[in-house]
Amino acid sequence: SDRPRVRRLAEHAAAAAEDPAVLALKLESYVHRRMRARKTMVVTFASAADVAETLSGDCSEHAVLLAAICRARGLPARLAIGLVYSPADRGFAFHMWNEVYIRGRWYPLDATLGQGRISATHIKLADTNLAGHSPLSALLPVGQLLGDLELEVLEIE
């Protein structure tokens, strides 16, 4: 979050000082609009500094960039790791989103979807601030469940 390019993006995303909740929503929207989806897995987990340069990636790159620009603006942020329901696949898939700490509570945001919220389609398995360990180790909770998890959708509104 201290890299010059990340700091510039954070300032450009929402220049004026804002209420923390409004600021977090503006930052999520900015990352959602600016990022280009990348479906290839050439890079498994890019750093926020790298993502700030390329502005491309999958959900993990959306999440690391949003965390970095939130932190650059003074908002504590972490990554949430879990599953999200994919209507196209008619099942759950790995996903990563963010949680931002505002007024004593963690609020979920998903820059990949850019809806200003998450829904019951997100199942959180773990969270991390990525400090002190390999980013890939944060994915272990998902790997431990794959193949053994059964979910049944009981009702959809």
Side-chain angles (χ1 to χ4, degrees):
S1 60
D2 61 351
R3 297 288 178 97
R5 174 77 172 145
V6 171
R7 296 192 73 70
R8 281 193 303 275
L9 290 174
E11 288 303 319
H12 183 71
E18 300 277 347
D19 170 85
V22 172
L23 177 59
L25 289 171
K26 285 186 175 186
L27 297 176
E28 179 208 41
S29 176
Y30 179 80
V31 171
H32 177 72
R33 288 189 329 270
R34 293 291 310 271
M35 291 283 290
R36 293 180 313 279
R38 183 190 75 225
K39 298 294 183 189
T40 64
M41 296 299 278
V42 175
V43 176
T44 305
F45 206 109
S47 71
D50 290 339
V51 178
E53 294 298 328
T54 65
L55 292 175
S56 69
D58 58 23
C59 62
S60 63
E61 283 78 24
H62 282 74
V64 295
L65 183 60
L66 181 56
I69 68 171
C70 282
R71 292 171 183 169
R73 293 299 298 269
L75 297 174
R78 65 186 181 193
L79 280 65
I81 300 150
L83 304 171
V84 67
Y85 184 75
S86 169
D89 299 322
R90 298 180 59 164
F92 285 85
F94 165 78
H95 194 55
M96 193 174 287
W97 60 97
N98 297 88
E99 294 176 331
V100 180
Y101 196 74
I102 302 169
R103 296 183 192 101
R105 184 172 165 224
W106 289 102
Y107 288 89
L109 295 173
D110 187 338
T112 304
L113 301 177
Q115 299 173 335
R117 60 177 171 72
I118 67 165
S119 68
T121 61
H122 289 67
I123 299 173
K124 179 180 164 183
L125 300 174
D127 57 62
T128 180
N129 65 7
L130 295 178
H133 57 78
S134 162
L136 294 178
S137 67
L139 306 179
L140 289 176
V142 176
Q144 292 171 336
L145 284 179
L146 292 179
D148 292 332
L149 183 65
E150 290 186 32
L151 298 171
E152 180 182 352
V153 177
L154 299 178
E155 182 177 327
I156 298 175
E157 291 184 22

